[in-house]
Amino acid sequence: MRTFGLILLTAAVYYVAGRLGLLLAIPPGYATAVWPASGLALAAVLLAGYRVWPGILLGSFLVNAYTAHDASHAEALMQSLGIASIIGMGAALQALAGGWLIKRFVGYRNILTQGLSVITMLLLAGPISCVINASISVTTLWLAGSIPTTNYLFNWWTWWVGDSIGVLVFTPLALIMSLRPSREWRREQIAVAAPLIAVFAAVVWLFVFVSQREELGIRAEFEKWSYSFSHELEKDLGIYRNMLSSLTGLFIGSEVVTKEEFSQFSALILENNSEVQGLSWNPLVSGPERDAFEQAQRAGGYPDYQIYVVDETGSRVPAPPKDSYFPVLYVFPLEENRRALGYDISSEPTRKRAIDLALQFSNRATATGPIKLVQRDGDEYGLLIIEPIYRNHQIKQGLEGFAIVAIQVSDIMRNASSRVADTGLHALAYDNTDPLNPVLIYSNMPEMTKHTPGKNMQRMHTINLAGRDWVIDYHLSEDYLAANPSWQAWSLLATGLLFTALLGIFLLLSIGYTARVTTLVSERTAQLNKSNAALQLEIAERKVLQQEADKRSRQLSEKNEELERFAYVVSHDLQAPLRGIAGFADLLQERYSAKLGAEGREFLNFVSNGTKHMHRMIADILELSRVGTSEMQFKPVDTGAVVQQVCNTLRMDIERSAARVQHESLPTVRADEGQLVLLFQNLVGNAIKFCSKECKPEIRITAQRESEGWHFRVEDNGIGIAEDKQARLFNLFVRLHTTEEYTGTGLGLAICKRIIERHNGHIWLESKQGVGTTFHFVLPATSSDA
């Protein structure tokens, strides 16, 4: 049901748009410079899909069936409906092709988001696909005879232009107005639709204005031509009336008019009026005189002469007996009118009525109604203008017969038309003497023409001919309008609509770009808001984590401080009992060494060594604790002086091991001097201690300025450190050798690391076993360092 409803809606929209488009038709009305229905049909395919094609076919069929149906007979009706059906199929095929081309090569989305592809879309849907219906429809009309060959290209061009501009103008307009939700697109809809509608209305108004001006000019020409035609016709009819008067004068002025005199006189007055069928003399012959009259004419040069009539079958038969006859006796020109010799004009009702009127109004000529002349074949009408001849002309007594001018209506109409040639006039002549029963006596309008499309050019003139009223109905021919199209109005309309289409494309590109930017900004804003929300959430989470970390750090710091205080207290408190144990061990060794024996002295030696080691360990722990807990006293410290102080402190070790300590010019750094002394003391002391007995210790201290600060190197030629053990060397209580090999507590390098970290630096080492070790550490530079 939804599809059925869409089909009916499409048909209704197409029909209404088509009827409106016909108002802008260019004469002769086969096509129009804009066909809105083509644009709306394509929009329907894009919006509702291919399923609406029956609605396009139905709407087009109804428009064309209404415009060009011919119900004059069954064959014409079937032909007109067939043409409408083919044009409808062409319209549906064109819309389907345009929709397929767009979806295949461009892809339809929101028309405001198409970007530059909207130009490709409209080119595919307009100038390219519109070739289809123009070719199908105009060729169909040409084959049906509705369009002459000479006008084929003009009508094809007009049809193609009309469909193309209809697509270029009305497809974007329909697609814009269909955007949903409309409240989100209302500004863009108004921005595109309002200028397009305003410009389109202005162009249509200008077209109507110019068309009316041109129509007034054409109508003035048409009226001039029709007046000229009527004037020429009246002038010709006046000449025929004068011919009859001249012929009447011949008979009035002569006692007897012979056949030769009649022929000579008739040839003279017909010299320049070849369109007259003939002149004749029809005497009154009474019934008793008939035989003698016929015999006399046979003897006088008409051997087959007899008075005859025409029966119902159209055959010539001898006239039946009656009181009187009015046979044709003389006629000129004879050869063209020989068949009329002997015809009794009173035997036919229309001629008889004219005779009666002529006798009733004996002072004037009288014309017959439309008749078929016996001397002519075919169905065309003729007429007779008759005037009675009396023996006593003054008192109209003694009827002798009738002088007659025979006229073929088509001949005199064509003669009048030749004097206004190339005007495009179509004329229909009616004998309107009886208004209730008018008779069409002449028409030069093609049979297929029922009305004049485009412009209603029609004018009627009434002419009186010897008592008969003729009405001439003039129309302007379609051929003339087709051969003389309204170029000014057509050019104005086509150019204006093309400008409207280009304006629409420009508006679509500019406003579409703005819409895309707005949409992009909205999307990016939404993304940014989403990112900001996520960032705020992350910041909040990080704040919570930071607070938790700070809490943990404070707790850890407190624990470390507590642990360091504990270590300090414990180490300090262990010193007194440890000194007591060492003192008593020394007393035992001093007083009772002889009594203890070898084993006892060995055990006492273990106690003495253990207490000494324990004492060194407690001292190092106290030192480590003081490094971590003591308040830093930062000030500029000359590291060269520090190294010299360390060498003085370690003088006995240096002299005993014959060590050599070298250093370059060392910088001044901002540091805690006491801790810096302890740092170099541990590093230089280790370099002296961990050296093989085969070589003398060589220690070299250097410093280099880098981006991070001052990079110090303490190089030695000691025993080196295995690569797999280097990573854990700065941990607490890490020893690589036994106390018998090398004394120590395993806290020296841990103290060095703690000192460097408290100075915001870092320490590492490079070593190769059996070659030596280099300790690296970085101390921040002072602000005055170059």
Side-chain angles (χ1 to χ4, degrees):
M1 291 301 296
R2 176 178 173 82
T3 299
F4 183 69
L6 288 173
I7 290 173
L8 290 182
L9 178 62
T10 302
V13 170
Y14 194 101
Y15 178 77
V16 173
R19 291 295 305 278
L20 293 175
L22 289 175
L23 298 178
L24 303 177
I26 304 298
Y30 298 124
T32 173
V34 58
W35 189 246
S38 61
L40 298 178
L42 177 63
V45 171
L46 292 176
L47 294 173
Y50 300 128
R51 56 182 173 172
V52 299
W53 70 266
I56 301 172
L57 190 154
L58 177 60
S60 177
F61 170 80
L62 292 176
V63 171
N64 290 282
Y66 173 85
T67 303
H69 79 283
D70 183 359
S72 58
H73 51 86
E75 183 178 352
L77 178 62
M78 293 302 296
Q79 178 177 331
S80 62
L81 294 181
I83 292 174
S85 299
I86 295 174
I87 294 176
M89 286 188 287
L93 182 60
Q94 175 175 289
L96 291 174
W100 181 86
L101 287 173
I102 290 173
K103 293 179 180 179
R104 171 65 177 80
F105 295 102
V106 180
Y108 171 69
R109 307 178 297 279
N110 181 335
I111 193 170
L112 287 179
T113 62
Q114 294 289 124
L116 292 175
S117 62
V118 73
I119 299 177
T120 305
M121 182 184 82
L122 294 178
L123 288 176
L124 291 174
I128 294 178
S129 64
C130 288
V131 171
I132 296 174
N133 199 24
S135 300
I136 293 176
S137 301
V138 175
T139 300
T140 300
L141 291 171
W142 173 68
L143 291 175
S146 300
I147 296 177
T149 303
T150 54
N151 293 334
Y152 179 91
L153 291 178
F154 173 76
N155 280 275
W156 186 95
W157 167 257
T158 307
W159 197 299
W160 176 74
V161 169
D163 278 6
S164 298
I165 295 180
V167 169
L168 294 176
V169 173
F170 287 92
T171 296
L173 195 59
L175 294 178
I176 285 289
M177 301 310 296
S178 67
L179 293 178
R180 295 294 181 272
S182 58
R183 64 179 180 276
E184 294 184 5
W185 296 99
R186 185 171 292 113
R187 185 173 64 179
E188 288 78 8
Q189 288 172 335
I190 294 174
V192 175
L196 279 181
I197 293 174
V199 173
F200 180 77
V203 170
V204 170
W205 181 85
L206 285 174
F207 168 74
V208 172
F209 177 76
V210 173
S211 295
Q212 289 177 344
R213 294 290 301 272
E214 290 192 349
E215 182 179 354
L216 290 176
I218 294 174
R219 186 176 295 278
E221 291 291 321
F222 168 69
E223 291 181 354
K224 182 181 74 173
W225 297 332
S226 61
Y227 174 80
S228 178
F229 189 102
S230 297
H231 177 72
E232 293 296 327
L233 183 60
E234 287 179 329
K235 185 171 69 173
D236 288 345
L237 294 176
I239 292 173
Y240 307 149
R241 178 67 180 82
N242 292 335
M243 288 181 185
L244 183 60
S245 298
S246 298
L247 188 60
T248 302
L250 173 65
F251 283 93
I252 292 173
S254 303
E255 286 292 330
V256 176
V257 177
T258 64
K259 178 173 59 175
E260 288 75 16
E261 291 174 339
F262 180 85
S263 296
Q264 291 174 0
F265 185 80
S266 297
L268 181 64
I269 62 177
L270 288 181
E271 183 177 0
N272 296 316
N273 295 280
S274 59
E275 69 278 3
V276 175
Q277 178 63 38
L279 302 176
S280 71
W281 162 244
N282 294 47
L284 169 63
V285 177
S286 64
E289 296 174 344
R290 173 181 175 177
D291 290 339
F293 176 78
E294 290 178 341
Q295 290 176 4
Q297 301 311 316
R298 290 169 187 160
Y302 300 126
D304 299 326
Y305 189 89
Q306 67 173 345
I307 299 175
Y308 74 92
V309 298
V310 178
D311 63 11
E312 296 177 353
T313 64
S315 301
R316 296 171 54 177
V317 297
K322 61 177 184 176
D323 294 338
S324 61
Y325 306 92
F326 292 96
V328 177
L329 177 59
Y330 300 154
V331 63
F332 184 87
L334 178 60
E335 293 304 320
E336 289 84 351
N337 297 281
R338 183 176 293 276
R339 287 190 297 178
L341 288 173
Y343 177 68
D344 178 15
I345 62 173
S346 65
S347 65
E348 192 271 321
T350 301
R351 293 173 173 86
K352 182 65 168 62
R353 281 194 295 272
I355 291 172
D356 294 340
L357 286 173
L359 296 176
Q360 181 180 355
F361 303 101
S362 55
N363 61 341
R364 72 176 189 184
T366 302
T368 66
I371 60 174
K372 301 295 178 63
L373 298 178
V374 295
Q375 60 267 49
R376 293 284 291 263
D377 295 324
D379 296 328
E380 293 180 337
Y381 286 108
L383 60 87
L384 305 179
I385 305 175
I386 64 178
E387 188 170 348
I389 304 297
Y390 295 93
R391 294 188 189 93
N392 189 343
H393 185 69
Q394 297 297 327
I395 59 175
K396 307 298 181 183
Q397 289 183 352
L399 179 67
E400 291 187 351
F402 291 95
I404 297 177
V405 176
I407 302 172
Q408 187 73 14
V409 174
S410 58
D411 291 343
I412 62 173
M413 294 293 287
R414 278 191 287 268
N415 182 59
S417 297
S418 65
R419 300 174 199 175
V420 287
D422 300 327
T423 59
L425 282 181
H426 281 163
L428 292 87
Y430 296 89
D431 187 314
N432 201 43
T433 306
D434 181 3
L436 297 179
N437 188 28
V439 179
L440 178 64
I441 58 177
Y442 172 79
S443 173
N444 67 345
M445 186 174 289
E447 292 184 3
M448 70 179 72
T449 304
K450 301 177 291 303
H451 58 84
T452 303
K455 296 183 181 294
N456 184 21
M457 294 292 180
Q458 184 178 12
R459 185 176 179 85
M460 302 180 74
H461 287 175
T462 300
I463 298 174
N464 185 273
L465 174 63
R468 307 296 298 185
D469 289 330
W470 282 11
V471 175
I472 313 300
D473 185 8
Y474 297 103
H475 294 265
L476 195 58
S477 74
E478 295 179 6
D479 291 340
Y480 177 82
L481 291 174
N484 299 274
S486 181
W487 286 111
Q488 185 176 1
W490 192 95
S491 300
L492 173 65
L493 183 62
T495 304
L497 292 175
L498 182 59
F499 171 77
T500 305
L502 295 176
L503 174 64
I505 293 174
F506 172 76
L507 291 174
L508 284 175
L509 292 177
S510 58
I511 297 176
Y513 175 78
T514 304
R516 289 194 306 278
V517 170
T518 303
T519 302
L520 183 59
V521 169
S522 299
E523 292 175 353
R524 294 296 174 84
T525 302
Q527 293 175 357
L528 184 59
N529 291 336
K530 184 178 179 181
S531 299
N532 286 338
L535 183 59
Q536 293 298 328
L537 180 61
E538 184 178 354
I539 290 174
E541 292 176 350
R542 290 195 175 190
K543 284 183 178 179
V544 173
L545 293 175
Q546 185 64 38
Q547 292 173 356
E548 184 68 24
D550 292 343
K551 181 179 178 182
R552 294 290 180 86
S553 179
R554 287 194 301 271
Q555 291 176 349
L556 183 60
S557 179
E558 291 172 357
K559 293 290 186 182
N560 287 336
E561 291 178 359
E562 182 180 353
L563 182 60
E564 288 177 349
R565 285 194 298 270
F566 172 76
Y568 179 79
V569 171
V570 170
S571 300
H572 185 274
D573 291 346
L574 287 176
Q575 291 282 1
L578 190 60
R579 281 195 297 268
I581 295 171
F584 284 110
D586 289 341
L587 287 174
L588 285 174
Q589 192 171 17
E590 180 181 345
R591 295 179 181 181
Y592 303 102
S593 176
K595 296 180 180 182
L596 291 176
E599 187 175 3
R601 288 191 296 273
E602 183 180 1
F603 289 161
L604 188 60
N605 190 45
F606 286 157
V607 172
S608 178
N609 291 336
T611 54
K612 291 178 182 178
H613 181 71
M614 188 69 176
H615 179 75
R616 287 194 300 271
M617 184 173 291
I618 290 172
D620 288 345
I621 290 174
L622 282 172
E623 194 65 49
L624 180 63
S625 176
R626 279 194 293 269
V627 169
T629 58
S630 63
E631 185 176 353
M632 303 283 287
Q633 300 293 328
F634 285 96
K635 63 180 180 178
V637 177
D638 183 358
T639 54
V642 169
V643 171
Q644 191 61 46
Q645 181 181 346
V646 168
C647 290
N648 292 335
T649 303
L650 299 176
R651 180 177 299 277
M652 293 181 64
D653 293 337
I654 292 173
E655 291 177 352
R656 184 175 57 252
S657 62
R660 186 170 62 176
V661 179
Q662 297 178 329
H663 64 85
E664 298 177 353
S665 178
L666 298 179
T668 298
V669 297
R670 187 173 181 78
D672 184 286
E673 186 175 3
Q675 292 193 4
L676 209 57
V677 170
L678 182 59
L679 169 67
F680 280 102
Q681 186 173 311
N682 277 316
L683 293 177
V684 173
N686 283 345
I688 295 171
K689 179 171 57 176
F690 294 101
C691 186
S692 65
K693 296 178 180 180
E694 289 79 14
C695 63
K696 297 178 181 180
E698 295 284 343
I699 303 156
R700 186 169 182 268
I701 301 172
T702 61
Q704 183 179 356
R705 185 69 167 86
E706 295 181 353
S707 59
E708 297 180 79
W710 285 104
H711 180 185
F712 289 85
R713 294 179 176 82
V714 179
E715 304 177 42
D716 64 47
N717 60 342
I719 61 175
I721 304 168
E723 186 175 355
D724 59 339
K725 297 176 181 179
Q726 293 177 9
R728 58 190 183 93
L729 198 60
F730 291 98
N731 295 337
L732 293 172
F733 304 109
V734 173
R735 288 180 53 83
L736 304 182
H737 308 279
T738 64
T739 55
E740 287 78 10
E741 294 177 309
Y742 298 99
T743 61
T745 61
L747 290 175
L749 291 180
I751 292 172
C752 294
K753 180 180 180 184
R754 180 69 60 86
I755 291 171
I756 294 299
E757 288 176 347
R758 294 200 71 186
H759 283 78
N760 297 321
H762 56 284
I763 186 170
W764 70 99
L765 65 89
E766 295 176 350
S767 181
K768 189 173 182 181
Q769 199 165 8
V771 176
T773 302
T774 300
F775 283 91
H776 302 262
F777 60 90
V778 176
L779 291 176
T782 63
S783 59
S784 61
D785 289 340

